[in-house]
Amino acid sequence: MNAPFVAVVSDIDFRTDHGSALGQRLNDLLSACGVVVVKNQSLTPPLFMRAIEHFGELMPQQIKKFTLPDYPLVGFNSSNDLPRKDGKLQVRGENYHTDHSNELTPPRATALHAVQVPATGGDTQFVDVRAAYDDLPDDVKGKIDGLFSLHVHQSSKSPRSLAKLTAEQLALIPQTRQPLAIKHPTSGRPALYLNTGRMEGIEGMPEQQAYALIEYLYNHATNPRYEYRHRWQIGDVVIWDNQAVMHQANADYDPAEYRYLLRLMIKGVALTPHRTTA
Ligand SMILES: [Fe+2]
C-alpha cells in the first residue's frame, strides 16, 4: 500500500470475531492511520452494526430516506439513490468532503460495506488532511489560525447538489461554525477541516477573499500526493476518520450496473481549533 494512512486487515471475520481485544486493535489502527480496510466480510445489517460498534456508539444519519426501515441507524448508498440526468448516473458524495460537518458533533468515523459493486469504477478516494496541513506554508498556517466557517446543509457556492429537502426537513438540519484548522480529537495533530459543499464563506472575511482562500486550501488538500484510491471489492468494509481524511465518490461507472453499500457512522465530539501558537 503506497498510502501511509491506510491499513488493510485480511485475517478477521466480523461474523465470529469480536470482543474488546479486536476492538482495541482496530481502534489503534484507525487512530494511527485514518483509513482501515477490512477485506472479505459478508455482513447482514445487524452484523455490520456490531462490527462497527467496535469503534464507538453509532450515530443517526441526517437524511432518513437513505436508511433501512428495519435498521434506522444503517444507511445505504446505491446507484439508484438519485435520478439519472440526461441518462447519466448521479451519485451522492462527489467532491471531497468530510461527513456531516454541519453537525455540532460531526461523526468521528464513517464506515461502508460493499454488497454489490460495478466491474469497474465507483471508487472512493481519500486524502489525508493532516499531511496537507503540515505541508502548508507557514504564512498560510498563520493566516487561517482562528478562522471559522459556517457549515450549512448546502453552501450557496456548493460544487455539488446535496439532497433536496422540504422546508420542514431543512429546519431539522443543523448548521455549525467550524474551524478551518482543527486539533485532531484523539491524536492532537493539526488538520484542515474543509467541506466546499457546506462552507458558507469565512467569518469576518469579505466573500470573494473567503472563497478564494477556501479554494486554495481545497486545491492544496486534494493534491494526488495526499490520496488513496479505494477500488471496491464485494465484502470490503472501509472505515475512515472524518477528522483525518476527506473522501469523495465517483459517478464513473456503467449506469446499468448496480452498486449497493451499507453505511454507518460513529458519534464524534465538538471540534477544537488548532492554534499555531499556544
Ligand atoms: Fe460522504
Side-chain angles (χ1 to χ4, degrees), residues 232-267:
W232 289 95
Q233 292 182 308
I234 290 174
D236 286 351
V237 171
V238 177
I239 181 160
W240 63 87
D241 180 328
N242 277 306
Q243 282 90 54
V245 300
M246 290 197 288
H247 62 282
Q248 73 173 358
N250 286 282
D252 59 350
Y253 55 95
D254 182 349
E257 290 206 73
Y258 186 54
R259 182 178 185 273
Y260 183 81
L261 299 92
L262 298 176
R263 179 187 196 238
L264 283 170
M265 290 190 304
I266 293 292
K267 283 185 180 172

Side-chain angles (χ1 to χ4, degrees), residues 168-205:
E168 290 79 17
Q169 289 168 326
L170 197 55
L172 297 172
I173 302 284
Q175 48 185 41
T176 302
R177 57 192 292 274
Q178 303 284 15
L180 266 67
I182 60 167
K183 181 178 173 183
H184 189 275
T186 51
S187 70
R189 281 185 66 181
L192 284 169
Y193 195 71
L194 305 170
N195 190 343
T196 50
R198 297 197 192 272
M199 293 168 80
E200 197 63 53
I202 295 173
E203 283 180 5
M205 189 176 281

Side-chain angles (χ1 to χ4, degrees), residues 93 97-99 110 160 240 247 263:
H97 62 281
T98 176
D99 285 335
T110 303
R160 62 182 175 133
W240 63 87
H247 62 282
R263 179 187 196 238

Side-chain angles (χ1 to χ4, degrees), residues 21-260:
L22 176 67
Q24 188 65 49
R25 179 183 163 209
L26 291 171
N27 263 298
D28 288 350
L29 271 181
L30 186 63
S31 295
C33 299
V35 178
V36 176
V37 178
V38 184
K39 303 296 292 180
N40 302 315
Q41 305 300 304
S42 179
L43 305 175
T44 58
L47 284 174
F48 183 43
M49 290 168 70
R50 190 179 72 178
I52 300 307
E53 280 170 345
H54 286 302
F55 298 93
E57 191 181 343
L58 300 178
M59 172 176 173
Q61 321 254 338
Q62 272 180 8
I63 310 296
K64 306 303 178 199
K65 69 177 175 180
F66 300 122
T67 59
L68 302 181
D70 292 343
Y71 301 97
L73 287 174
V74 183
F76 61 83
N77 193 307
S78 109
S79 43
N80 294 333
D81 290 349
L82 303 178
R84 305 284 186 262
K85 198 172 178 180
D86 303 324
K88 285 174 66 179
L89 182 70
Q90 308 293 308
V91 303
R92 297 189 290 133
E94 285 191 283
N95 287 91
Y96 275 109
H97 62 281
T98 176
D99 285 335
H100 288 24
S101 62
N102 56 319
E103 297 265 1
L104 177 61
T105 55
R108 174 195 176 208
T110 303
L112 290 173
H113 178 37
V115 178
Q116 187 77 43
V117 296
T120 57
D123 300 346
T124 303
Q125 292 162 275
F126 300 89
V127 285
D128 185 339
V129 286
R130 301 158 299 182
Y133 179 89
D134 290 345
D135 289 348
L136 282 173
D138 285 344
D139 64 319
V140 177
K141 289 178 181 171
K143 188 174 176 181
I144 65 174
D145 197 333
L147 294 184
F148 284 77
S149 175
L150 186 67
H151 289 235
V152 301
H153 172 62
Q154 181 169 336
S155 165
S156 56
K157 299 281 194 296
S158 176
R160 62 182 175 133
S161 290
L162 297 169
K164 297 277 179 282
L165 302 178
T166 64
E168 290 79 17
Q169 289 168 326
L170 197 55
L172 297 172
I173 302 284
Q175 48 185 41
T176 302
R177 57 192 292 274
Q178 303 284 15
L180 266 67
I182 60 167
K183 181 178 173 183
H184 189 275
T186 51
S187 70
R189 281 185 66 181
L192 284 169
Y193 195 71
L194 305 170
N195 190 343
T196 50
R198 297 197 192 272
M199 293 168 80
E200 197 63 53
I202 295 173
E203 283 180 5
M205 189 176 281
E207 182 178 303
Q208 204 175 353
Q209 200 183 334
Y211 286 104
L213 178 56
I214 290 170
E215 186 181 4
Y216 166 84
L217 295 170
Y218 182 82
N219 287 341
H220 168 76
T222 58
N223 186 296
R225 81 170 74 104
Y226 305 118
E227 180 191 323
Y228 164 65
R229 186 178 188 110
H230 188 72
R231 295 185 170 85
W232 289 95
Q233 292 182 308
I234 290 174
D236 286 351
V237 171
V238 177
I239 181 160
W240 63 87
D241 180 328
N242 277 306
Q243 282 90 54
V245 300
M246 290 197 288
H247 62 282
Q248 73 173 358
N250 286 282
D252 59 350
Y253 55 95
D254 182 349
E257 290 206 73
Y258 186 54
R259 182 178 185 273
Y260 183 81

